[in-house]
Amino acid sequence: MIVVIKNDAPQEKVDELKQMLEGYGVTLNLSVGTHSTVIGLLGDTSAIDADLIAAQDIVEAVKRVQEPYKKANRKFHPENTVINIKPGVDIGGKSLAVIAGPCSVESEEQIIEVAKRVKAAGANFLRGGAFKPRTSPYSFQGLKAEGLELLKIARRETGLPIVTEIMSVEHLPLFEDVDIIQVGARNMQNFEMLKELGKIDKPILLKRGLANTIEELLMSAEYIMSGGNENVILCERGIRTFETYTRNTLDISAVPVLKRLSHLPVIVDPSHAGGLPWLVEPLTKAAIAVGADGVMIEVHNNPKKALSDGAQSLTPDQFDNVMKMVKKYAAIGDRTI
Amino acid sequence: MIVVIKNDAPQEKVDELKQMLEGYGVTLNLSVGTHSTVIGLLGDTSAIDADLIAAQDIVEAVKRVQEPYKKANRKFHPENTVINIKPGVDIGGKSLAVIAGPCSVESEEQIIEVAKRVKAAGANFLRGGAFKPRTSPYSFQGLKAEGLELLKIARRETGLPIVTEIMSVEHLPLFEDVDIIQVGARNMQNFEMLKELGKIDKPILLKRGLANTIEELLMSAEYIMSGGNENVILCERGIRTFETYTRNTLDISAVPVLKRLSHLPVIVDPSHAGGLPWLVEPLTKAAIAVGADGVMIEVHNNPKKALSDGAQSLTPDQFDNVMKMVKKYAAIGDRTI
Amino acid sequence: MIVVIKNDAPQEKVDELKQMLEGYGVTLNLSVGTHSTVIGLLGDTSAIDADLIAAQDIVEAVKRVQEPYKKANRKFHPENTVINIKPGVDIGGKSLAVIAGPCSVESEEQIIEVAKRVKAAGANFLRGGAFKPRTSPYSFQGLKAEGLELLKIARRETGLPIVTEIMSVEHLPLFEDVDIIQVGARNMQNFEMLKELGKIDKPILLKRGLANTIEELLMSAEYIMSGGNENVILCERGIRTFETYTRNTLDISAVPVLKRLSHLPVIVDPSHAGGLPWLVEPLTKAAIAVGADGVMIEVHNNPKKALSDGAQSLTPDQFDNVMKMVKKYAAIGDRTI
Amino acid sequence: MIVVIKNDAPQEKVDELKQMLEGYGVTLNLSVGTHSTVIGLLGDTSAIDADLIAAQDIVEAVKRVQEPYKKANRKFHPENTVINIKPGVDIGGKSLAVIAGPCSVESEEQIIEVAKRVKAAGANFLRGGAFKPRTSPYSFQGLKAEGLELLKIARRETGLPIVTEIMSVEHLPLFEDVDIIQVGARNMQNFEMLKELGKIDKPILLKRGLANTIEELLMSAEYIMSGGNENVILCERGIRTFETYTRNTLDISAVPVLKRLSHLPVIVDPSHAGGLPWLVEPLTKAAIAVGADGVMIEVHNNPKKALSDGAQSLTPDQFDNVMKMVKKYAAIGDRTI
């Protein structure tokens, strides 16, 4: 961290500031020029509140040099994290995760039919929403606990590990037998929930918030990891911009950026990012080409009657076609599905 | 709601669609042209999933005409809502709420000193954070339950009603004796929490999320109101844009827009919107001039040592000056503080 | 400017970099720590390409401390710039400019009628578009040279100085007798045009681009000023964000920020920012309260038949009402209209 | 286009509106319900000003159904446009364009060296800036006319067609012997220039503006095409969002969206989008996978001494590696380079 002092700062104020900064346990490095004085802070600055330093009268500017995250930082963990989900099934490394299934679990028949179809096409995980975050209180809110039970039945039938979203820390006991717990975009900064998820050891799929920066996503991962749970999978699912043709704007660059800054696996959700079924295939191809560790795709046996997000779901037949392309692109990068 | 049918849709598909639409309990109005067919849906369309209709093959486009919120809608409640907080103290109508206090409650001395100073300057509410949402897990997280107790002591000393933020539905019992419960920007779409807040009758100050539209803010209010709690105060606190000089971009237009679309009171938080102490005064003046029902301002007895957000807090002396201007601007609009 | 060197940089590479930096005519200030080396650049860094320095292998980060603009910078010109338009009529300082008129000049009758009405209401400048930037090639493109002539006739009739937009540097000779030349948002970074406008001495009203930062607006002003024309008026007219209820999002904070960073006058265009006639009054009040040096308002004698932007224009009667409020708010700040 | 009438509109006002709408030469289709009346406009609505209709008192809302562009619209031109640049060299169709070269032309040696290297690696076009749009007036502004001459020398040496940017309509005569004229992001809505470019028949590479929607990009193409020049190549180069880690946010979804809405070829500029050299390879792979007709990549023989944008340029060796991947990805889609 670098602190730039105003030109006209009286020496005693500078001395006070230096004392304050030394209180953080860092070493100071002073560079006095004719027009400005610069103080370099050396050591671990991740717990220092840059805004507070900027609030001091004599400070012109504060610039961070180090990233504020540690556990999620590739600098301190150069190897890729590979998360083992069940024997022979990993996320990260050479594995390419294909997580597919309906937006909402609607019935036993539906979830089993979809699970069988996506497995046959080559998916290695089943997704399905039991608790559904909906913008309107008048929309279908999910089958809740019953939905979780139906997912487990589908898992038993197909062997696919299941991924499903948690919406409140109170529901955590219900998720004990789930394979991967998803934190949705709207809860990416629900810090109380992140803290609780840091106390368990189940893999957490953490979706980037609509208006959250890459650094904030890593700080939310840091919340979970600093609690002790290092099994975090990051997910890019589109950010909110001025463009309205697509539901959100898939920030494809975030994938290589996240993989450079962090050792955690990164997957992409092309269904939510675009919000249009015909965008799923090209965005999936782009996600694999750019280096993602997996994709998460909505598939519904009858999108026209889906109780949520039908407009963006693929039919099982369309998913079959997408998987053919997935396999071609995976082959270039020697990825295994 | 209007549904535009593709040119080449076969009649039987159109008939199927009509049946589906009639299933929502609305009346249909068909307009057949040479190039396209338009179906108007008349009646209550707030529970209809527009995306699902758009997912049908023969549908070219779906356009909403009605707003998807009802309880929060001024059309169905033309009078301004005025929320009584305690005898003689309202939010909304002719009253101008000035909610002031520190970002975080830090000690009994601090909160009492700030409370006395802001009261003397003319504030009519005390704010203070006990549970603090922080981007970094390594930052100060608030005094929690103890902070709530200190706020109550400050209320006893000054008579000012207290406003404080809830971060998890599990903490709700602790907030029983708080005057106004604040939902922060990051929890605006924590729907499980909104549902719980809909079951009580305490006033809720609902902050707009960083990347949430005006309509989504109203839909979150609708979550609380549809549960039975109509005491919702909306708060504009800046949205995230490409401009980085200010922390966020205060969407000042949102105030008159919200007041046109809804009957609920609307306040502005100039401290979080700008993130810079010297912006608080001009933004406060703008907020009152544009028609807000109040402002929420961070004041700290020693911003340079604040445990959170010191960089944007005013000193009590600076707040005195802001209040002088507040009174002048309030006078133009016949607002009482 | 501060250059942070990577931990493992070999000494010879650091020496090379130092030589390169000294080549810019600045003094270097080295601060060597155990984990990183920081080089401070002292002197005029406005011509240094920070990106080029960042491209060097051993550079971890480059941070600007100084602003990259000089002529527009309040640090080097602490007094407010007041631009004299004609005897007794200024922009900046204690004067409050009210620039009103139709989006497009449509006919002699129209522009004279509007000019008389806005003058009677208290406006001190007449606006009107002769060359119109339209998103669609099929929309009305303005009366061009004829429109400029009609504006001059309206000026003769009312005495109001005229403000009108230039769209191409080739048209510059036609603008010789115009009082203030407007550069529209879409041309804010039409650098070839800015350079030409720097060679004349006519006041330039420079509108902020839809996606341009405050710093970029000041850099565009710098283009004009570095050519020799220091008569630049800045205009905030809304930026593009994810919110679609309003046409753009008025960045009200930009006004006090621009006034702090620069000595140039700053005005606000509430008509284009909101795009809705009922937003003009509240946004005008906010603009004056926040400290703008003026406002620019669209007024049309028959908005429903306007050839462009009718949807956001006020009628002369509505403008009369807005001016009543303008006068009240101007009085608080001792502004003269 | 659909016009929704307010509930309480008097019949005479509705009749007036119908007359006004019929004046546009469209057929009306009335749908009268109990709560609202909807008028459908059938025929060519591209020249109708939707805002003007929305300005009428009795109008609740106006919704476009048709796209406002015609020449650029795939509906009226279902086949892909393939632009022939020289015998055997096309943009569009099965061809994959690889346009490479330095940000700025700096010297004869530089441009020839880079041209030879990129040709050897497999590029089929040479790019190089002669007129440079720079945010700061104090930055290098390009070699101008001399730069164009150097590009032609490099073309003679290598046979590669040249692509270079125009910044002002006044310079058009200088571009007569250029193969493809580029319109930069900042000039995407410089309508006067677009009109002039519509009068020639040279291919135009039109870059999307930083804050321009997909529809606006197509409307700018329409400006050129409606003038008679249908040789337009669209280019996605990143949009401005709140994320600051990358210079801009590459809107990868824009590629399949543009290809669905329009028949024009679409290329991607990964160098400007990311602003970081290590992002060029993954973004190039994503661009080809998503279906772009080409990529535009900055290559400099000595990025550390580049006079502009060195920070994002690849070295020729790095470009060699990117081209190896380009060929693998092109093979999947049967694209020829």
Side-chain angles (χ1 to χ4, degrees), chain A residues 161-202:
Chain A
I162 53 178
V163 184
T164 193
E165 179 170 351
I166 190 167
M167 279 181 63
S168 179
V169 82
E170 292 185 309
H171 304 150
L172 194 49
L174 295 171
F175 285 71
E176 212 168 304
D177 190 25
V178 155
D179 299 286
I180 301 179
I181 300 178
Q182 176 180 321
V183 175
R186 295 178 185 79
N187 279 311
M188 191 201 92
Q189 292 194 319
N190 183 336
F191 299 122
E192 295 298 311
M193 192 158 83
L194 299 181
K195 285 178 199 168
E196 291 306 310
L197 296 174
K199 294 176 188 163
I200 61 177
D201 63 357
K202 204 172 276 305

Side-chain angles (χ1 to χ4, degrees), chain C residues 10-306:
Chain C
Q11 189 54 42
E12 58 177 273
K13 289 278 183 184
V14 177
D15 292 341
E16 266 176 51
L17 180 71
K18 281 165 64 182
Q19 258 190 318
M20 170 191 173
L21 296 174
E22 280 166 346
Y24 289 114
V26 293
T27 308
L28 303 189
N29 224 305
L30 219 71
S31 151
V32 183
T34 33
H35 293 79
S36 62
T37 297
V38 171
I39 304 179
L41 278 62
L42 307 172
D44 178 7
T45 59
S46 58
I48 299 183
D49 184 348
D51 285 341
L52 185 59
I53 299 174
Q56 311 304 313
D57 291 340
I58 61 165
V59 172
E60 168 95 22
V62 178
K63 313 268 181 184
R64 273 203 176 276
V65 175
Q66 282 180 332
E67 296 86 5
Y69 43 89
K70 290 186 287 192
K71 296 264 186 185
N73 198 328
R74 190 178 278 277
K75 278 192 189 150
F76 309 124
H77 186 311
E79 298 298 307
N80 283 327
T81 283
V82 178
I83 299 175
N84 183 254
I85 308 298
K86 69 170 201 178
V89 178
D90 292 332
I91 292 191
K94 277 290 169 192
S95 303
L96 188 74
V98 179
I99 305 168
C103 182
S104 301
V105 180
E106 295 171 13
S107 70
E108 186 172 331
E109 296 68 34
Q110 175 238 22
I111 191 67
I112 290 179
E113 184 184 334
V114 175
K116 286 183 174 169
R117 287 295 306 266
V118 300
K119 187 186 181 181
N124 38 23
F125 293 87
L126 176 66
R127 62 150 288 154
F131 293 89
K132 296 301 308 169
R134 304 300 301 274
T135 304
S136 168
Y138 309 120
S139 299
F140 174 61
Q141 308 270 325
L143 292 183
K144 302 180 183 173
E146 186 197 340
L148 294 178
E149 291 313 309
L150 298 180
L151 278 170
K152 291 176 204 166
I153 294 173
R155 174 175 59 188
R156 216 181 304 135
E157 293 281 326
T158 58
L160 293 177
I162 54 179
V163 184
T164 193
E165 179 169 351
I166 191 166
M167 277 180 65
S168 179
V169 81
E170 292 185 307
H171 304 148
L172 193 49
L174 295 170
F175 285 71
E176 214 168 300
D177 190 25
V178 154
D179 298 288
I180 300 179
I181 299 179
Q182 176 180 321
V183 175
R186 294 178 185 81
N187 279 310
M188 192 200 92
Q189 292 193 321
N190 182 337
F191 299 122
E192 295 297 311
M193 193 158 83
L194 299 180
K195 285 180 200 168
E196 291 305 312
L197 296 173
K199 295 176 187 164
I200 59 176
D201 64 357
K202 207 173 273 307
I204 307 298
L205 193 161
L206 179 66
K207 289 190 145 189
R208 180 180 183 184
L210 277 180
N212 289 110
T213 61
I214 289 169
E215 185 171 295
E216 286 169 343
L217 174 57
L218 289 170
M219 289 308 289
S220 285
E222 190 81 8
Y223 256 96
I224 300 169
M225 297 173 86
S226 68
N229 183 357
E230 306 207 354
N231 299 311
V232 180
I233 302 150
L234 305 171
C235 180
E236 161 62 33
R237 44 80 75 222
I239 58 173
R240 197 160 253 185
T241 71
F242 63 82
E243 177 59 64
T244 54
Y245 190 91
T246 46
R247 185 195 291 184
N248 299 120
T249 298
L250 180 65
D251 181 5
I252 196 82
S253 314
V255 178
V257 170
L258 284 168
K259 294 203 68 76
R260 186 179 179 95
L261 298 177
S262 177
H263 50 89
L264 297 172
V266 181
I267 68 166
V268 167
D269 178 344
S271 299
H272 281 88
L276 295 163
W278 52 269
L279 275 175
V280 174
E281 181 176 325
L283 295 184
T284 296
K285 295 193 285 191
I288 298 173
V290 93
D293 294 300
V295 286
M296 190 162 184
I297 297 178
E298 289 197 357
V299 180
H300 195 285
N301 52 345
N302 191 350
K304 294 181 203 166
K305 297 213 166 151

Side-chain angles (χ1 to χ4, degrees), chain A residues 27-333:
Chain A
T27 309
L28 303 190
N29 223 303
L30 219 68
S31 150
V32 183
T34 33
H35 293 79
S36 61
T37 296
V38 171
I39 304 179
L41 278 62
L42 307 171
D44 178 7
T45 59
S46 58
I48 299 182
D49 184 348
D51 286 341
L52 185 60
I53 299 174
Q56 312 304 314
D57 290 340
I58 61 165
V59 173
E60 168 93 24
V62 178
K63 314 269 180 182
R64 272 203 177 277
V65 176
Q66 281 180 335
E67 295 86 6
Y69 43 88
K70 290 186 287 193
K71 296 264 187 185
N73 198 329
R74 190 178 279 276
K75 279 193 190 149
F76 309 123
H77 186 311
E79 298 298 308
N80 283 328
T81 284
V82 178
I83 300 174
N84 183 255
I85 307 298
K86 69 170 201 179
V89 178
D90 292 332
I91 292 191
K94 278 290 168 194
S95 303
L96 188 74
V98 179
I99 305 168
C103 182
S104 300
V105 179
E106 296 171 13
S107 70
E108 185 170 333
E109 296 69 32
Q110 174 238 23
I111 192 66
I112 290 179
E113 183 184 335
V114 175
K116 287 183 173 168
R117 286 295 304 266
V118 300
K119 186 183 183 184
N124 37 25
F125 293 87
L126 176 66
R127 61 150 289 154
F131 293 88
K132 295 301 308 168
R134 304 301 301 273
T135 305
S136 168
Y138 309 119
S139 300
F140 174 61
Q141 308 271 326
L143 292 183
K144 300 174 184 177
E146 186 198 339
L148 294 177
E149 291 313 308
L150 297 181
L151 277 171
K152 291 176 204 165
I153 294 172
R155 174 174 60 188
R156 215 181 305 133
E157 294 281 325
T158 59
L160 294 177
I162 53 178
V163 184
T164 193
E165 179 170 351
I166 190 167
M167 279 181 63
S168 179
V169 82
E170 292 185 309
H171 304 150
L172 194 49
L174 295 171
F175 285 71
E176 212 168 304
D177 190 25
V178 155
D179 299 286
I180 301 179
I181 300 178
Q182 176 180 321
V183 175
R186 295 178 185 79
N187 279 311
M188 191 201 92
Q189 292 194 319
N190 183 336
F191 299 122
E192 295 298 311
M193 192 158 83
L194 299 181
K195 285 178 199 168
E196 291 306 310
L197 296 174
K199 294 176 188 163
I200 61 177
D201 63 357
K202 204 172 276 305
I204 308 297
L205 193 161
L206 179 65
K207 288 191 146 189
R208 181 180 182 183
L210 277 180
N212 287 109
T213 61
I214 289 169
E215 185 171 297
E216 287 169 344
L217 173 58
L218 289 170
M219 290 308 290
S220 285
E222 190 81 10
Y223 256 96
I224 299 168
M225 297 172 86
S226 68
N229 183 357
E230 306 206 354
N231 299 312
V232 179
I233 302 149
L234 305 171
C235 179
E236 161 62 34
R237 43 81 75 220
I239 58 174
R240 196 161 254 186
T241 71
F242 64 83
E243 178 59 63
T244 54
Y245 190 92
T246 45
R247 184 194 291 185
N248 297 121
T249 298
L250 179 64
D251 182 6
I252 196 84
S253 314
V255 178
V257 170
L258 283 167
K259 293 204 66 78
R260 186 179 179 95
L261 298 177
S262 178
H263 50 88
L264 297 172
V266 181
I267 68 166
V268 168
D269 177 344
S271 300
H272 281 88
L276 294 162
W278 52 269
L279 276 175
V280 173
E281 179 176 327
L283 295 183
T284 296
K285 294 193 286 190
I288 298 173
V290 93
D293 293 301
V295 286
M296 190 160 184
I297 297 178
E298 288 197 357
V299 180
H300 195 285
N301 51 346
N302 191 351
K304 296 181 204 168
K305 298 213 168 151
L307 294 179
S308 62
D309 277 350
Q312 74 197 25
S313 289
L314 298 184
T315 61
D317 288 352
Q318 291 170 327
F319 183 68
D320 287 348
N321 287 325
V322 170
M323 283 307 292
K324 282 177 199 147
M325 295 308 304
V326 164
K327 286 165 189 165
K328 286 190 190 179
Y329 281 88
I332 296 186

